Amino acid sequence: MSSHHIVRDDQEPALIIANGEACSSELLGQLLEWSPLVIVLDSAIERVLELGIKVDVLLGDFDRGFDAEYYKEKQYPIEIVFAPNQDKTDLEKAFDFLIEKGHKAANVIWATGRRADHTITNITNIVAYRNQLKIVILDDHSKVFLLQNNFEKWYTANTIISLIPIGKVIGITTHNLFYSLNNEDLTIGYRTGNSNHVSKDGIVTIKHTEGDLLLMECWD
């Protein structure tokens, strides 16, 4: 696996590698190519090193025994960030680090699969960063991000789109989805917009008045 490119002015999203199920080498390579900064959570560092990926930042609480000099030698230059706060996950700490450094967007991989509690937490915790960081979680079957109140994007027909509310989302109206919503509500555990799809090639619009609504672009 080749090293990532350095993108001028950090216009492209940073890449965070968590410790869930690995994605394909194709997806990983695409993201690395345009990432100005690669952050790896400490629990995943050995898996990442095996792939020959150049790491910029290694972050975590390092609660499993840690030799900083070993990683400095393997990945020079590398920034090692000790983040001991037990009230946040390591992924949240990585988001905080990017915000502090002035980054505006992040792609996240290896954040789904394996332990269900980690998957659910990683996906739902992005709502807390709505106004600070544009976050996209990707794996080989889905792309997940939080919607603003007014969303428009061009899609091909039959693209699978799921609308997943975090809590309750009020006043959802859609256009160009097969199962349309007209000023309706979704509530996690009671009614969600799972496995909808795009009716025809063109713009999909999704509007909602209140709440945190995730969009998942999915493929089998």
Side-chain angles (χ1 to χ4, degrees):
M1 180 66 63
S2 62
S3 177
H4 61 283
H5 289 285
I6 302 300
V7 181
R8 291 182 180 178
D9 301 324
D10 292 346
Q11 293 301 307
E12 297 294 327
L15 179 64
I16 302 173
I17 304 177
N19 195 34
E21 191 66 33
C23 64
S24 66
S25 59
E26 289 80 9
L27 176 58
L28 179 57
Q30 290 168 14
L31 295 173
L32 284 171
E33 185 174 5
W34 297 105
S35 296
L37 185 77
V38 176
I39 301 177
V40 176
L41 305 188
D42 65 342
S43 53
I45 185 60
E46 293 299 332
R47 298 169 62 196
V48 169
L49 290 180
E50 290 176 0
L51 296 175
I53 297 170
K54 178 65 185 76
V55 177
D56 298 303
V57 178
L58 174 59
L59 179 148
D61 52 21
F62 307 112
D63 57 357
R64 296 175 179 84
F66 178 69
D67 182 356
E69 295 304 317
Y70 170 79
Y71 294 107
K72 288 179 181 178
E73 180 179 341
K74 297 279 286 187
Q75 284 281 303
Y76 181 85
I78 187 173
E79 181 176 359
I80 296 177
V81 179
F82 177 55
N85 183 358
Q86 295 301 308
D87 292 329
K88 290 192 173 184
T89 67
D90 282 351
L91 183 55
E92 290 175 287
K93 297 170 192 176
F95 295 152
D96 291 339
F97 173 85
L98 288 176
I99 292 167
E100 182 181 345
K101 296 296 184 180
H103 290 264
K104 303 300 182 182
N107 291 322
V108 185
I109 55 172
W110 298 15
T112 59
R114 296 194 173 185
R115 282 181 53 174
D117 57 342
H118 289 170
T119 296
I120 293 171
T121 299
N122 290 340
I123 290 174
T124 57
N125 279 358
I126 68 176
V127 303
Y129 296 88
R130 169 188 289 279
N131 299 318
Q132 299 168 289
L133 196 65
K134 182 179 179 181
I135 300 166
V136 178
I137 295 178
L138 304 105
D139 59 33
D140 290 332
H141 301 285
S142 56
K143 176 180 179 180
V144 183
F145 53 95
L146 183 67
L147 293 183
Q148 298 299 319
N149 291 91
N150 294 283
F151 172 81
E152 289 188 354
K153 184 177 176 181
W154 194 97
Y155 288 97
T156 57
N158 298 315
T159 299
I160 300 171
I161 288 180
S162 291
L163 298 176
I164 307 298
I166 305 302
K168 184 174 184 177
V169 179
I170 297 172
I172 305 169
T173 298
T174 66
H175 173 72
N176 198 21
L177 292 182
F178 186 80
Y179 302 104
S180 61
L181 297 171
N182 184 17
N183 195 30
E184 299 175 54
D185 303 343
L186 296 177
T187 304
I188 193 70
Y190 293 91
R191 185 192 183 199
T192 66
N194 190 60
S195 292
N196 207 332
H197 64 270
V198 178
S199 296
K200 61 183 179 180
D201 291 357
I203 295 292
V204 169
T205 62
I206 302 168
K207 299 180 180 181
H208 67 282
T209 57
E210 185 178 339
D212 296 310
L213 185 62
L214 295 176
L215 186 146
M216 300 183 177
E217 300 173 1
C218 303
W219 48 93
D220 294 323

